[in-house]
Amino acid sequence: CPRARLVEALQAVSGIVPTRGIKEVFESVRIEASGKGLTLLGTDLEVSMLYSIPPGEGLQVAEEGLLLAPARRLQAILHELPDEPVTVSFAKGACHLKATSGSWRITAGDPADFPAVEVPETAEGVEVDREVLRDLVQRTSFAAAREKMRYALNGILLLTKGDDLQAVATDGRRLAHVRASCRNSGKI
């Protein structure tokens, strides 16, 4: 796979993966190679992210399989490599990275230990311009609770109906509510 594609995928998924977990398996990213390309999955048990790299554009899957690798270590190595193709393999409990500039062996976990994450086959979505979503988050995030004990109030609620998108956040003392437009099929 081209290094840049792997770095982009790992950066996205690593944002979800906790840096300090109860178990090492939660600090890892699950990589699945198949005829559909590479699929990277990360979770902190509250939020999950699935990132797919389709075949083509330099990606070749020699053999199908699963790999569980430490996300931060893998990302650090890939980040320092020059822009060149990288081969990723898994054997005997280790993830092997090979490039023209060197090779690395990273102790990897058992993919069977990775927590089960429910991934919907088809999900209806909403299209929102990046700037609109950023504005919604910036204008409501100040009202979200910061305390860990107020778990239900730590986030921002996004609601859609037709072409209307609303963001709501509260910490129990203050409330922020913002409305914007989105491109929606009207099914949500």
Side-chain angles (χ1 to χ4, degrees):
C1 183
R3 183 202 68 89
R5 306 258 334 254
L6 277 175
V7 168
E8 179 184 322
L10 272 169
Q11 281 179 336
V13 174
S14 292
I16 302 295
V17 176
T19 54
R20 290 185 182 163
I22 299 167
K23 292 183 174 180
E24 194 173 310
V25 70
F26 296 122
E27 299 173 20
S28 300
V29 61
R30 180 180 172 265
I31 303 172
E32 181 177 359
S34 68
K36 296 178 184 177
L38 285 181
T39 304
L40 287 80
L41 178 64
T43 186
D44 67 357
L45 296 180
E46 293 176 14
V47 178
S48 301
M49 181 173 203
L50 182 74
Y51 193 105
S52 296
I53 303 174
E57 298 180 27
L59 174 66
Q60 298 174 352
V61 177
E63 188 177 330
E64 294 186 359
L66 286 173
L67 163 67
L68 189 64
R72 304 279 183 231
R73 246 181 257 145
L74 187 59
Q75 185 179 8
I77 292 170
L78 288 171
H79 184 71
E80 295 300 323
L81 286 176
D83 205 16
E84 60 189 14
V86 178
T87 302
V88 180
S89 61
F90 179 71
K92 299 180 183 176
C95 170
H96 300 277
L97 288 174
K98 291 181 185 174
T100 54
S101 58
S103 62
W104 295 262
R105 180 186 177 279
I106 304 169
T107 303
D110 184 3
D113 292 341
F114 196 75
V117 175
E118 193 172 317
V119 179
E121 287 298 318
T122 58
E124 296 175 17
V126 176
E127 279 189 43
V128 181
D129 290 329
R130 180 184 307 185
E131 294 304 317
V132 171
L133 185 60
R134 179 180 296 152
D135 184 54
L136 286 173
V137 170
Q138 286 177 344
R139 293 175 62 192
T140 55
S141 62
F142 75 92
R146 303 276 187 252
E147 303 90 24
K148 296 283 184 191
M149 299 299 291
R150 307 193 81 178
Y151 175 78
L153 303 177
N154 286 2
I156 298 171
L157 174 66
L158 294 174
L159 301 168
T160 61
K161 185 172 184 182
D163 292 337
D164 189 43
L165 176 65
Q166 299 178 49
V168 181
T170 185
D171 63 359
R173 293 180 297 278
R174 56 188 168 196
L175 174 84
H177 177 245
V178 181
R179 188 178 301 225
S181 296
C182 63
R183 292 182 293 280
N184 187 350
S185 62
K187 297 179 182 176
I188 296 178

